[in-house]
Amino acid sequence: LRIQPLPEFLLRGGYEGGFRAPNLTESAASSKSAFNPGVSDPKRCDAASKLIADLTAAAAALPNSDPNKTLLQSRADAIDECSLGVASVVRNNPGLKPETSRIFTLGIGFQPAKFFSTTVDYYNITRTDEINVKSPQDLLNAEAQQPAGTIVRAPNFNNDPTFKTAAEVAQYAP
């Protein structure tokens, strides 16, 4: 809608609606597997950081001639739970509804002279039922709020690359 009551004054406005239907990957029987590098697991990062600090302190307490000093330092350096790669699987959701949007705009324009003009515009965009995928990092950061089965961890610490002994599992494991 455009109304120009005077040559130097303009009113305009509009209202629109839109939608986006889920694509086949999002709604049909499908899944997507991916590897996501650089993810920080808050639970494991905090525990691993404590283990690193303890290994580093234990190494610092040993004389330079003790071979265990180098082993402890090397092990501390090799632990990296704060930036690791994780596998993710995104599955379809047959219950998805189409995204919808409503857009309302209102504006005025003023041109008092041929060499000067100004406009003011207002936009209001409302989107509902947005279709999106949360990143593995977002899911891990809000793990407590996720439905059961969203994040699947190893059932035990056998062959854990960070917490190698039963004592470390008991002391540090999240």
Side-chain angles (χ1 to χ4, degrees):
L1 175 64
R2 177 185 164 112
I3 300 172
Q4 193 166 4
L6 301 170
E8 55 276 339
F9 187 71
L10 169 70
L11 293 171
R12 62 180 170 232
Y15 178 82
E16 296 179 46
F19 77 97
R20 179 180 86 81
N23 65 41
L24 289 175
T25 303
E26 296 164 335
S27 62
S30 65
S31 64
K32 178 186 93 170
S33 298
F35 185 77
N36 304 275
V39 176
S40 175
D41 184 343
K43 282 187 177 180
R44 289 188 60 93
C45 180
D46 292 344
S49 295
K50 290 174 188 167
L51 176 59
I52 291 168
D54 289 348
L55 289 170
T56 303
L62 296 174
N64 288 337
S65 60
D66 189 330
N68 287 318
K69 181 176 185 121
T70 303
L71 291 173
L72 290 170
Q73 288 173 331
S74 296
R75 181 157 176 238
D77 291 343
I79 296 173
D80 189 10
E81 291 287 338
C82 299
S83 179
L84 45 96
V86 298
S88 67
V89 177
V90 178
R91 292 189 176 94
N92 68 311
N93 181 353
L96 284 177
K97 299 176 186 174
E99 286 184 13
T100 58
S101 63
R102 304 282 180 245
I103 304 164
F104 171 73
T105 62
L106 185 61
I108 59 172
F110 183 61
Q111 186 175 9
K114 191 168 192 141
F115 58 88
F116 176 79
S117 67
T118 187
T119 62
V120 176
D121 291 288
Y122 169 78
Y123 297 89
N124 184 322
I125 302 171
T126 305
R127 293 169 56 170
T128 56
D129 296 322
E130 287 185 68
I131 299 169
N132 60 34
V133 176
K134 292 182 180 175
S135 73
Q137 187 65 65
D138 291 340
L139 293 171
L140 285 167
N141 289 345
E143 184 173 359
Q145 290 80 42
Q146 304 307 321
T150 301
I151 295 173
V152 180
R153 295 179 180 274
N156 57 47
F157 287 90
N158 294 341
N159 300 317
D160 190 289
T162 299
F163 308 107
K164 296 185 179 286
T165 67
E168 287 178 357
V169 170
Q171 184 175 354
Y172 300 103

